[in-house]
Amino acid sequence: MAAEFSIIHRVQFSETDMAGIVHFANYFRWMEEVEHAFFRSVGMSVSMEHEGVHVSWPRVATACDFFAPCRFEDEITLRLRVMKVGGKSLNYEVDFLKGETPVALGKMTSVCCTIGAGGMQSIPIPAEVRERLERA
Amino acid sequence: MAAEFSIIHRVQFSETDMAGIVHFANYFRWMEEVEHAFFRSVGMSVSMEHEGVHVSWPRVATACDFFAPCRFEDEITLRLRVMKVGGKSLNYEVDFLKGETPVALGKMTSVCCTIGAGGMQSIPIPAEVRERLERA
Amino acid sequence: MAAEFSIIHRVQFSETDMAGIVHFANYFRWMEEVEHAFFRSVGMSVSMEHEGVHVSWPRVATACDFFAPCRFEDEITLRLRVMKVGGKSLNYEVDFLKGETPVALGKMTSVCCTIGAGGMQSIPIPAEVRERLERA
Amino acid sequence: MAAEFSIIHRVQFSETDMAGIVHFANYFRWMEEVEHAFFRSVGMSVSMEHEGVHVSWPRVATACDFFAPCRFEDEITLRLRVMKVGGKSLNYEVDFLKGETPVALGKMTSVCCTIGAGGMQSIPIPAEVRERLERA
């Protein structure tokens, strides 16, 4: 039932560290890379306006389990799965695959927020956004 | 009982994103920053030799919960707590504090490994290393 | 005559790459780190307001020459020298030193700009800012 | 006469900063991204072996001029031009284009080096590598 969406990320030299493998913090950038590509694939940008106000999706929780290292020039498939479109939040998981082999599993919870002069404020996910996320 | 160790990290401009707050992937770099400072505080480097072999600590799992954003030039206290020194693995948590206010909580599990021509191989944490970690 | 200002940057694991040395893009982050610390040292933040408008300092040119590599846990002295406070722009250089040995030399030109709805617009450096930069 | 080679880089959220534009240090990562893609396009990896020794290409000088900002989700064309294949070094330039409009110009000089126990040592560019770079 869950929407799935995949892209391929080629490992860059600047993403490796002195252990000769991808530095683990980069997996979180890649999770976001496939998330934002998924938003574009359903006709939206994660940096959106709603009723004249700027909307963003700050993270409230994220996690990653690592099974095997990624190396320079590896082509890693990032496969996003929407787990839940809640009232104000979005849950997804990302499989990191080298060929068919899972090398990591990431999880993310984001909250729909307006950004204004007074800072961030969570809001119900706008109906049109929800529809696009659920229909994917 | 758990060892605690703290440093302060000043938020850099390059760590912010277009939402005006620290990009969440940086929290994982900061977790590592306090971990490595902790190793130094007990007389070790995380990049160590043991019986003539290079030892490293790849991550097998990490997570972070975010309570409030960090901004440019904030001074964030990173307070590391060793939760468990296992047979081959190390567990710790990191409190991220702005003043006295917790803004995030991170968790990490690393495994002690040798790095050689044949790749990474997990090994029991060397006795001297264990002692230094537990005595901290 | 030129103002000089120094900080020490400890090389982080995440700043190294698979060649075992600091990835060269990080030198530009460090240049900015000492620039912003210098602004703080003269009582300013690089993220400033002037006459109710937000002011920023986008870069128009930067360069770096590399003489010797930096490695994990090295303590690198970043020594900033203001070369010129122009009408709208600021020029500085940064010596990267390992102990007394220069390992790199960086150069930067930034322009004083307002950021508003219509994008960025260069402006004369405000008198008070100029004074603080020149008096340093 | 000079070889030209282009790729497109989509600006990621994590590459922006609180000024709402791409942080300038990322241009150096992008320069490297197109360099390494160019190496692959001529059948090589920048992480290569030569006569049983690991070869790498540390940078000795780099620079970038910035004409206009890049923003989230922009598609930036990175167009590399080999300027000179010297005895031991490689010179190239990178045009950064938004559509047809140049937004930045980067320059890089790398040196061919072996990496061994004793550190880095510059070597003449191997004949086969030179041929591939010049024939491109």
Side-chain angles (χ1 to χ4, degrees):
Chain A
M1 276 296 291
E4 277 198 3
F5 176 77
S6 295
I7 59 169
I8 287 175
H9 179 93
R10 166 86 74 170
V11 174
Q12 297 300 312
F13 197 89
S14 63
E15 296 174 329
T16 63
D17 62 30
M18 62 186 279
I21 62 175
V22 171
H23 189 266
F24 79 105
N26 290 309
Y27 289 73
F28 295 93
R29 299 190 195 281
W30 300 355
M31 247 187 258
E32 186 171 79
E33 184 176 337
V34 66
E35 172 193 2
H36 293 182
F38 166 66
F39 269 70
R40 285 191 293 273
S41 77
V42 296
M44 301 192 294
S45 169
V46 77
S47 172
M48 58 178 73
E49 300 281 321
H50 176 66
E51 296 177 357
V53 184
H54 193 74
V55 170
S56 190
W57 297 79
R59 289 69 176 76
V60 291
T62 189
C64 196
D65 292 333
F66 307 95
F67 314 132
C70 295
R71 294 176 194 279
F72 177 53
E73 297 194 327
D74 281 349
E75 292 183 290
I76 306 300
T77 299
L78 309 174
R79 189 170 62 196
L80 177 143
R81 234 178 351 268
V82 174
M83 303 303 284
K84 188 181 168 195
V85 183
K88 295 179 165 186
S89 67
L90 173 65
N91 271 262
Y92 64 84
E93 291 185 2
V94 175
D95 295 317
F96 299 75
L97 304 160
K98 201 189 289 192
E100 301 295 311
T101 309
V103 292
L105 171 63
K107 300 183 183 189
M108 183 87 78
T109 304
S110 304
V111 171
C112 191
C113 283
T114 53
I115 307 185
M120 292 186 173
Q121 179 85 29
S122 68
I123 56 165
I125 296 177
E128 193 202 325
V129 174
R130 168 183 304 281
E131 205 178 299
R132 285 177 188 260
L133 291 174
E134 288 176 342
R135 207 173 40 194
Chain B
M1 279 292 292
E4 277 199 3
F5 176 78
S6 295
I7 60 171
I8 288 175
H9 178 96
R10 166 86 73 169
V11 175
Q12 298 300 311
F13 196 88
S14 63
E15 295 174 329
T16 63
D17 62 31
M18 62 186 278
I21 61 175
V22 171
H23 189 267
F24 79 105
N26 290 309
Y27 289 72
F28 295 93
R29 299 189 194 283
W30 300 354
M31 248 188 255
E32 186 172 78
E33 185 175 337
V34 65
E35 172 194 3
H36 293 182
F38 166 66
F39 268 71
R40 284 191 294 273
S41 77
V42 295
M44 300 192 293
S45 169
V46 77
S47 172
M48 58 178 73
E49 299 280 322
H50 176 65
E51 297 178 355
V53 184
H54 193 74
V55 169
S56 190
W57 297 81
R59 288 71 175 75
V60 292
T62 189
C64 196
D65 291 333
F66 307 95
F67 315 131
C70 297
R71 294 177 194 279
F72 178 53
E73 296 192 329
D74 281 351
E75 291 183 289
I76 306 299
T77 300
L78 310 174
R79 188 170 63 196
L80 178 143
R81 236 179 349 267
V82 175
M83 302 304 283
K84 189 181 168 197
V85 184
K88 295 179 164 187
S89 67
L90 174 64
N91 272 261
Y92 64 83
E93 291 186 2
V94 175
D95 295 317
F96 298 76
L97 305 160
K98 202 189 289 192
E100 301 295 311
T101 310
V103 292
L105 171 63
K107 300 183 182 189
M108 182 88 75
T109 305
S110 303
V111 171
C112 191
C113 283
T114 53
I115 306 184
M120 292 187 172
Q121 179 87 27
S122 68
I123 57 165
I125 296 177
E128 194 203 325
V129 174
R130 167 184 305 281
E131 207 178 295
R132 284 176 188 258
L133 291 174
E134 286 176 344
R135 208 174 39 195
Chain C
M1 276 295 293
E4 278 198 3
F5 176 77
S6 296
I7 59 170
I8 288 174
H9 178 94
R10 166 85 75 170
V11 174
Q12 298 300 312
F13 197 87
S14 63
E15 296 174 329
T16 63
D17 62 30
M18 62 185 280
I21 62 176
V22 170
H23 189 267
F24 79 104
N26 290 308
Y27 289 72
F28 295 93
R29 299 189 194 283
W30 300 355
M31 247 188 258
E32 186 171 79
E33 184 176 338
V34 65
E35 172 192 2
H36 293 182
F38 166 66
F39 269 70
R40 284 191 294 272
S41 76
V42 296
M44 302 191 293
S45 169
V46 77
S47 172
M48 57 179 73
E49 299 280 322
H50 176 65
E51 297 177 356
V53 184
H54 192 73
V55 170
S56 191
W57 297 79
R59 288 71 174 75
V60 292
T62 189
C64 196
D65 292 333
F66 307 95
F67 315 132
C70 296
R71 294 177 194 280
F72 177 52
E73 297 192 329
D74 280 350
E75 292 183 291
I76 306 299
T77 299
L78 309 174
R79 188 171 62 196
L80 179 142
R81 235 179 349 269
V82 175
M83 303 303 284
K84 188 182 169 194
V85 184
K88 296 179 164 185
S89 68
L90 174 65
N91 272 262
Y92 64 84
E93 291 185 2
V94 175
D95 295 317
F96 298 75
L97 304 161
K98 202 189 289 192
E100 301 294 311
T101 310
V103 292
L105 170 63
K107 299 183 183 190
M108 182 87 78
T109 305
S110 303
V111 171
C112 191
C113 283
T114 53
I115 306 185
M120 292 186 172
Q121 180 85 28
S122 68
I123 57 164
I125 297 177
E128 194 203 324
V129 174
R130 169 184 304 281
E131 206 178 299
R132 285 176 188 258
L133 291 174
E134 287 175 343
R135 208 175 39 196
Chain D
M1 279 293 292
E4 278 199 2
F5 176 77
S6 295
I7 59 170
I8 288 174
H9 179 94
R10 166 86 74 169
V11 174
Q12 298 300 311
F13 197 88
S14 63
E15 295 174 329
T16 63
D17 62 30
M18 62 185 279
I21 63 175
V22 171
H23 189 268
F24 79 105
N26 290 309
Y27 289 72
F28 295 93
R29 299 189 195 283
W30 301 354
M31 247 187 255
E32 185 172 79
E33 184 175 338
V34 64
E35 172 193 2
H36 292 182
F38 166 65
F39 268 70
R40 285 192 292 274
S41 77
V42 296
M44 302 192 294
S45 170
V46 77
S47 173
M48 58 178 75
E49 298 280 321
H50 177 66
E51 298 179 353
V53 184
H54 193 74
V55 170
S56 191
W57 297 80
R59 287 73 174 75
V60 292
T62 189
C64 197
D65 292 333
F66 307 95
F67 315 131
C70 297
R71 294 177 195 280
F72 178 52
E73 297 192 328
D74 281 350
E75 292 183 290
I76 306 299
T77 300
L78 309 174
R79 187 170 63 196
L80 178 143
R81 236 180 348 268
V82 175
M83 303 304 283
K84 188 181 168 197
V85 184
K88 296 179 164 187
S89 67
L90 174 64
N91 272 261
Y92 64 84
E93 291 186 2
V94 175
D95 295 317
F96 298 76
L97 305 161
K98 201 189 291 192
E100 301 294 312
T101 309
V103 292
L105 171 63
K107 300 183 183 189
M108 182 87 76
T109 305
S110 304
V111 171
C112 191
C113 283
T114 54
I115 307 184
M120 291 187 172
Q121 179 87 28
S122 68
I123 57 165
I125 296 178
E128 193 203 325
V129 174
R130 168 183 304 281
E131 207 178 296
R132 285 177 189 259
L133 292 174
E134 287 177 342
R135 209 173 39 195

